[in-house]
Amino acid sequence: MLSLKKCAQYILVVLALIAVTTIIVKQLLHKPAISLFPLEHYSQTIATWINPADLNYDTPLISADMQKKRQQLFLDHYDGELSPWSENGINLVLQKIAPDDLKTMEINVIKLFSNTKDKPEENIGYGENFRPYSEDWIEKLTNNIDLSPLDHPNYQENNRAIAIDNLQTRALPTDDVFLYNFTQAGLGYPFDNLQVSALWAGTPVYIVMETKDHAWTLICSPAFIGWVHSNGIARVNAKFVNTWTEAAKKNLVAITQTETALLNANEKFLLTSYVGSVFPASKKTNTDFKLMIPVTDSDHFAKIETAYVSSQNATLMPMQLTPHNVATILSTLIGRTYGWGNMYFYNDCSAELKNLFTPFGIWLPRHSSNQPNAGKMVDMSAASPKERIEFLKKTGQPLLTIVYIGGHIFLYVGNYPNPHDPSHTLVITYQNVWGLAPKPANRRAVIGKSVFFPLLLSYPEDRSLSSLADKKYFQIGYLNEMPDSSMLTVSGINIETLNHPGALPKDIAAWQSNPHERKTE
């Protein structure tokens, strides 16, 4: 029989072994809040998925008539009936009735980004120094904003303007970042919640109002509303508008090589251009385009300067929509860093698709939730993840079908052998994605760039990660068909489709209640 002393020693040894085993198990099971998703099984070579040897490589994916209709819709938004230079179009934005009006929108944005004492911890905003903003921070911003011009706004011709540089559009007139607590997975950097979108040089805008110090201007662009640095835009007069729009009707050129430097005849640098940028132009030679570039005069009104760009870096719109030409545009986009709200002029998921389809004259809204409605939309949200994938396999039109899953959107590329099980096929997508998360979303497996990626029920690399087919929404947009008729008229303008994605007045409560769902996954 064991003595009491030996029993005590035995118990201590067992407890020690249990403690050590527990520590080892925890270490084995522990997943860091941020890890990198391995992409080794999924080729990032474009020819793997869009094969130059395919018989349809140079075959148009949509008819000439459909592409013509698409180009016209693009022009309507750019400088036509639906554009910021259209009196009818802008008045439909300016004259919205509360609570859908611009003034209410601005009041709600200010409220959204105020660190009030009664605000839940998960909704407190932080600066880049990891410290929460004081109430003085928002007070200083609001003291620089006079909302009275929004009481009874009306279209004024002299408020038409144009971007003369690539700009970052902000939800409030500040360059300060607004991050949520970085200790929560999926929050913190790079998700600056004040970031709305990039505004490309050459984009027509309408000036809604300015800050008291005139440093910032609230603008309405063809795709969104937000604040930009005032020195990045210039007002336009009727002569400029007529010259610009008439030239655009004849020849509109889209940039096809991102980060293309535009130089004038004297080799002077004017600006860097990105895929998604368009300019009126004429052909200089068989190999070059002569672009119209807006610059400012001494009175800060726009005037036109000439830049030259090789046809290797630009194309007359619309570029014929073939697999070959899609591959050409993808070659300059794939692998680029994820940029929330176009931060640093990189793309997020919706900007990636919007910019990708621009050279083909296909207009997409800026926010992912609106993009499926740019074509015929089929809502499969009520279906199971397996049913969703099978439906996409059967009905998806390669390179023409986009899928919105709630906070994220991607392009259907086609069905291919599963690299993990070649006897079965899988759906391959193209997307600019931050990463994947488990349920609950307490960590992120970061991808952080534009990639070819499979749509699987589970990922062999990490079975705990949630499938992109298992999200709240699964809305499929077919771009080979025209959108609902409401999108084709001025009456289809909806201020919510122009507003900052995180600050829609009636979505604020839901947006604040779940910070993990704010971010593009």
Side-chain angles (χ1 to χ4, degrees):
M1 189 172 181
L2 293 174
S3 67
L4 187 61
K5 182 178 180 181
K6 286 187 176 181
C7 281
Q9 289 175 338
Y10 177 78
I11 291 171
L12 288 173
V13 169
V14 171
L15 290 174
L17 287 172
I18 291 173
V20 170
T21 302
T22 300
I23 291 171
I24 292 172
V25 169
K26 283 185 175 180
Q27 288 178 339
L28 289 174
L29 294 178
H30 174 70
K31 297 283 188 180
I34 295 291
S35 61
L36 296 180
F37 185 94
L39 294 168
E40 288 78 10
H41 290 108
Y42 314 113
S43 172
Q44 299 305 305
T45 300
I46 296 172
T48 302
W49 314 113
I50 308 176
N51 191 343
D54 287 348
L55 295 177
N56 68 344
Y57 190 60
D58 288 299
T59 302
L61 296 170
I62 59 176
S63 68
D65 181 62
M66 174 63 71
Q67 191 153 29
K68 183 178 179 181
K69 289 179 180 178
R70 286 286 183 182
Q71 173 80 351
Q72 185 55 55
L73 183 58
F74 187 99
L75 291 172
D76 287 345
H77 282 90
Y78 177 69
D79 61 4
E81 187 182 19
L82 301 173
S83 83
W85 287 352
S86 163
E87 180 176 358
N88 291 335
I90 282 296
N91 272 336
L92 284 172
V93 174
L94 298 181
Q95 296 176 6
K96 286 284 185 180
I97 299 172
D100 299 318
D101 62 309
L102 283 173
K103 186 171 185 178
T104 303
M105 180 191 83
E106 283 301 303
I107 291 171
N108 278 299
V109 170
I110 292 168
K111 177 183 177 182
L112 184 66
F113 294 107
S114 300
N115 279 352
T116 55
K117 293 178 181 178
D118 59 346
K119 203 170 189 180
E121 170 59 30
E122 63 268 21
N123 293 325
I124 295 296
Y126 294 77
E128 66 274 19
N129 61 354
F130 303 112
R131 295 182 180 274
Y133 284 114
S134 67
E135 292 188 47
D136 291 341
W137 174 80
I138 196 70
E139 185 177 345
K140 181 180 178 182
L141 283 177
T142 54
N143 285 341
N144 194 30
I145 303 173
D146 175 15
L147 293 179
S148 62
L150 300 182
D151 288 332
H152 303 287
N154 281 295
Y155 170 85
Q156 297 180 47
E157 188 176 275
N158 62 357
N159 279 350
R160 292 180 296 181
I162 194 167
I164 57 175
D165 201 356
N166 301 310
L167 303 172
Q168 299 290 0
T169 311
R170 310 287 290 165
L172 286 172
T174 179
D175 287 318
D176 293 340
V177 299
F178 192 95
L179 309 170
Y180 289 97
N181 196 329
F182 74 97
T183 62
Q184 300 180 65
L187 302 183
Y189 183 86
F191 300 108
D192 173 8
N193 289 268
L194 288 172
Q195 180 67 15
V196 176
S197 181
L199 178 69
W200 300 132
T203 303
V205 299
Y206 182 85
I207 295 173
V208 178
M209 59 182 287
E210 293 181 335
T211 52
K212 293 177 182 178
D213 62 8
H214 303 288
W216 290 85
T217 300
L218 181 66
I219 57 95
C220 181
S221 82
F224 49 81
I225 294 170
W227 293 91
V228 297
H229 284 290
S230 299
N231 60 6
I233 61 172
R235 293 179 187 268
V236 295
N237 56 30
K239 181 180 178 181
F240 181 98
V241 169
N242 290 337
T243 301
W244 191 269
T245 55
E246 287 303 312
K249 288 175 184 176
K250 294 177 182 177
N251 290 309
L252 196 60
V253 163
I255 300 300
T256 57
Q257 182 66 40
T258 211
E259 297 186 49
T260 292
L262 299 182
L263 311 177
N264 67 10
N266 298 320
E267 298 286 305
K268 175 187 174 184
F269 173 81
L270 296 177
L271 57 90
T272 300
S273 56
Y274 296 82
V275 172
S277 303
V278 299
F279 303 93
S282 60
K283 243 336 183 14
K284 179 196 173 193
T285 66
N286 290 332
T287 57
D288 289 344
F289 293 109
K290 182 179 178 181
L291 305 184
M292 293 168 58
I293 305 296
V295 297
T296 182
D297 65 15
S298 57
D299 295 320
H300 216 67
F301 271 80
K303 64 179 182 179
I304 295 171
E305 188 161 346
T306 299
Y308 299 93
V309 63
S310 167
S311 56
Q312 293 182 337
N313 297 330
T315 183
L316 277 173
M317 291 176 64
M319 190 181 199
Q320 193 173 55
L321 185 55
T322 64
H324 187 170
N325 287 336
V326 172
T328 296
I329 305 299
L330 289 182
S331 68
T332 192
L333 294 177
I334 191 167
R336 292 189 80 233
T337 300
Y338 176 91
W340 167 256
N342 283 133
M343 187 182 291
Y344 312 126
F345 301 126
Y346 292 113
N347 291 333
D348 57 19
C349 63
S350 52
E352 186 80 13
L353 296 189
K354 181 174 179 60
N355 294 331
L356 167 63
F357 281 105
T358 289
F360 304 105
I362 295 178
W363 171 265
L364 291 182
R366 177 61 180 87
H367 193 236
S368 58
S369 64
N370 300 314
Q371 288 186 342
N373 293 310
K376 177 186 176 183
M377 195 273 279
V378 175
D379 195 340
M380 292 294 292
S381 301
S384 69
K386 183 177 181 180
E387 290 170 336
R388 293 171 174 183
I389 292 175
E390 289 304 313
F391 184 83
L392 185 59
K393 278 185 178 181
K394 291 177 182 177
T395 70
Q397 302 291 319
L399 307 179
L400 285 173
T401 301
I402 57 180
V403 183
Y404 171 70
I405 60 173
H408 185 52
I409 195 162
F410 51 80
L411 175 68
Y412 169 75
V413 176
N415 306 327
Y416 298 85
N418 187 335
H420 302 288
D421 181 6
S423 64
H424 291 82
T425 61
L426 52 64
V427 167
I428 286 293
T429 70
Y430 176 78
Q431 53 187 295
N432 203 323
V433 59
W434 178 242
L436 304 176
K439 288 182 180 179
N442 55 8
R443 61 185 177 86
R444 291 296 186 277
V446 173
I447 295 171
K449 58 183 179 179
S450 52
V451 292
F452 288 103
F453 197 69
L455 187 63
L456 298 171
L457 289 174
S458 66
Y459 300 93
E461 293 81 2
D462 186 343
R463 298 288 184 186
S464 69
L465 296 173
S466 296
S467 169
L468 294 178
D470 189 18
K471 299 294 183 180
K472 182 176 181 180
Y473 298 101
F474 202 84
Q475 296 175 342
I476 304 172
Y478 299 93
L479 299 181
N480 57 320
E481 299 186 50
M482 290 298 286
D484 180 86
S485 59
S486 65
M487 284 194 65
L488 308 179
T489 64
V490 175
S491 61
I493 290 180
N494 184 338
I495 195 170
E496 292 184 1
T497 69
L498 301 174
N499 202 354
H500 174 54
L504 297 178
K506 54 188 176 186
D507 287 340
I508 284 181
W511 194 87
Q512 286 185 327
S513 66
N514 191 352
H516 293 288
E517 293 303 318
R518 297 173 189 153
K519 309 298 172 279
T520 302
E521 296 292 342

